[in-house]
Amino acid sequence: MILIRNARVLTMEDDKVIQGGEILMDGGKIVDVGSALSAPGAQVVDARGMYALPGVVDAHCHIGMFEDGMGFEGDDGNEATDPLTPQLRALDAINPMDRCFSEALSCGVTCAATGPGSANVIGGQFLAMKTNGHDLEQMVIQEPLAMKAAFGENPKRVYSGKHQAPETRMATAAILRNALMEAREYLKKKEQGGDKAPDFDLKKEMLSKVLTRELLLKCHAHRADDILTAIRIAKEFNLRISLEHCTEGYLIADALKRANVPCILGPLLSDRSKIELRNMSFKAPGILHKAGVRFALMTDHPVIPMQYLMVEAGICAREGLDEMEALRAVTLNAAWAIGLDGRLGSLKPGKDADVALYDGHPMDTRTRVKQVYVNGQLAYED
């Protein structure tokens, strides 16, 4: 049992700062948050002068799949040989020994949603994992977490070079629709059983989980038209989706508000490396927040190294986003966007005891993370 005392506690459940706050952790969970807590026998950590926040959550990245400083040997995020690869599992590609995990942890990031890139129309399965440890099976929180789909420039670029579909946005949408229709027919025959039971098909089996809403469909879409196509297909098949990147989402904020689906913005701390990023702006999060659109921020690691997720949040606050909302975008809203807000993202009794202690305001670039607790155990100390 560990009791953190004398901290400036930001629970992320509201906008309040608990001055001289306390956090009690036991059995890997948060037991209580408040002031003057009773905890006989607890190990006491004096966090005087520090800020205490829930562990930061990166809702979309590729950590462990595009390994740091490895080149081709560590590049395992895109199986660009078939536009439809729903059977692929991030679990089989992640190297938990990638040093980027420890770098992220040292900056307060305790959870990452990581998975395949966007070369394919359907790229494969994401998972959610803690950043502490070297045993992948113990680090995983949920697997599979989601299925990855991609619209726009990336599938076009990859497959036009191979002289096969999709070479256009029309083909990308058609390939996705056809795959979902075939999976729906497969699921129907499977439920009927008997003579109509289909032969086992791993691709259709995994896409069936998208159709039944068991799996979130993470839809890579930068341009406004691609965002709207993703929303359109989600309505056609009654899918549970999130909009990944959503670069031009601020240009169609009303449509996003009506769609009422999670948006995971970013990476914003990068160059405009391709045409569909031409309208990228740090003002987008502030505009979406004012429009009533709930969103998270991402790094898309290694595009932005994961340890700079809080820096990205800070720049968004500088450019008009409410400060507390910027913090939520990398904590509670990020956990919500991947369906894990029941476990992560805020300091609340019953949630995972993932806590970071900062020696200054978390979004000040001069601030250092002094301690990080994962599942109630000290995982990093400066």
Side-chain angles (χ1 to χ4, degrees):
M1 185 160 52
I2 297 175
L3 178 64
I4 297 173
R5 278 185 170 161
N6 301 318
R8 298 170 182 171
V9 178
L10 286 75
T11 68
M12 295 293 101
E13 289 286 332
D14 53 38
D15 290 348
K16 297 176 182 176
V17 180
I18 305 174
Q19 300 291 346
E22 300 183 351
I23 305 165
L24 181 62
M25 304 179 288
D26 192 29
K29 299 292 182 181
I30 295 172
V31 176
D32 204 356
V33 180
S35 302
L37 303 180
S38 177
Q43 175 189 341
V44 176
V45 176
D46 188 356
R48 193 177 305 274
M50 298 185 191
Y51 284 84
L53 268 73
V56 169
V57 177
D58 192 338
H60 178 117
C61 68
H62 310 287
I63 193 168
M65 301 193 70
F66 295 93
E67 295 174 53
D68 186 61
M70 293 286 286
F72 173 79
E73 177 56 29
D75 184 350
D76 289 302
N78 279 309
E79 181 61 39
T81 57
D82 180 348
L84 290 173
T85 55
Q87 76 279 18
L88 302 184
R89 303 168 71 189
L91 185 71
D92 297 323
I94 294 168
N95 180 5
M97 302 297 288
D98 184 349
R99 64 183 174 185
C100 293
F101 284 105
S102 60
E103 290 176 341
L105 182 68
S106 73
C107 289
V109 184
T110 58
C111 173
T114 184
S118 52
N120 297 341
V121 178
I122 300 177
Q125 303 158 44
F126 264 62
L127 59 75
M129 62 186 295
K130 298 291 176 79
T131 55
N132 181 49
H134 296 301
D135 184 341
L136 189 55
E137 300 291 340
Q138 293 181 2
M139 297 166 75
V140 167
I141 302 169
Q142 184 172 324
E143 194 279 327
L145 173 75
M147 186 68 70
K148 176 69 178 295
F151 297 83
E153 189 173 328
N154 285 17
K156 282 183 55 175
R157 183 183 65 251
V158 170
Y159 286 95
S160 64
K162 301 175 185 293
H163 303 293
Q164 71 177 91
E167 290 191 337
T168 64
R169 283 176 164 82
M170 292 184 294
T172 295
I175 288 169
L176 178 57
R177 278 196 183 93
N178 187 67
L180 290 169
M181 287 176 178
E182 288 185 351
R184 186 166 59 188
E185 187 65 19
Y186 173 85
L187 184 60
K188 179 180 176 181
K189 290 180 178 179
K190 185 178 175 182
E191 290 171 347
Q192 290 174 339
D195 295 339
K196 294 187 176 181
D199 293 336
F200 181 81
D201 186 316
L202 185 55
K203 286 187 175 184
K204 294 184 178 69
E205 193 74 25
M206 295 313 303
L207 281 179
S208 296
K209 297 180 185 298
V210 175
L211 289 169
T212 59
R213 299 172 63 89
E214 179 181 341
L215 282 184
L216 177 74
L217 187 66
K218 291 173 81 71
C219 298
H220 165 113
H222 285 282
R223 253 173 42 174
D225 54 341
D226 293 322
I227 294 167
L228 293 172
T229 297
I231 293 171
R232 185 183 313 118
I233 291 175
K235 288 180 179 178
E236 289 175 24
F237 292 91
N238 189 31
L239 307 179
R240 186 165 63 93
I241 70 165
S242 59
L243 296 169
E244 315 292 305
H245 308 298
C246 206
T247 303
E248 291 188 355
Y250 72 101
L251 300 177
I252 52 169
D254 289 346
L256 294 185
K257 174 66 173 173
R258 289 193 302 272
N260 192 32
V261 299
C263 300
I264 305 176
L265 308 183
L268 298 173
L269 192 62
S270 62
D271 67 334
R272 297 179 179 88
S273 58
K274 51 187 177 179
I275 294 296
E276 61 188 7
L277 299 181
R278 67 189 182 279
N279 289 317
M280 183 174 70
S281 172
F282 266 109
K283 295 187 182 300
I287 293 170
L288 290 178
H289 177 55
K290 289 174 184 175
V293 177
R294 192 175 182 185
F295 62 87
L297 292 172
M298 66 153 87
T299 64
D300 204 23
H301 178 101
V303 179
I304 303 173
M306 193 181 290
Q307 61 265 33
Y308 301 125
L309 181 53
M310 191 64 83
V311 175
E312 182 178 46
I315 298 174
C316 290
R318 186 193 71 189
E319 296 301 316
L321 179 61
D322 173 80
E323 184 177 283
M324 291 300 293
E325 204 60 31
L327 290 172
R328 281 196 193 88
V330 296
T331 54
L332 185 57
N333 283 0
W336 164 79
I338 56 175
L340 291 175
D341 50 322
R343 284 188 60 177
L344 308 170
S346 66
L347 301 177
K348 182 179 179 181
K351 288 196 174 186
D352 289 7
D354 297 345
V355 182
L357 299 178
Y358 300 76
D359 66 4
H361 193 282
M363 292 191 297
D364 187 332
T365 56
R366 297 167 297 180
T367 290
R368 297 188 70 87
V369 174
K370 304 305 289 184
Q371 289 186 340
V372 180
Y373 293 84
V374 177
N375 299 326
Q377 299 295 317
L378 182 62
Y380 169 80
E381 186 167 27
D382 184 23

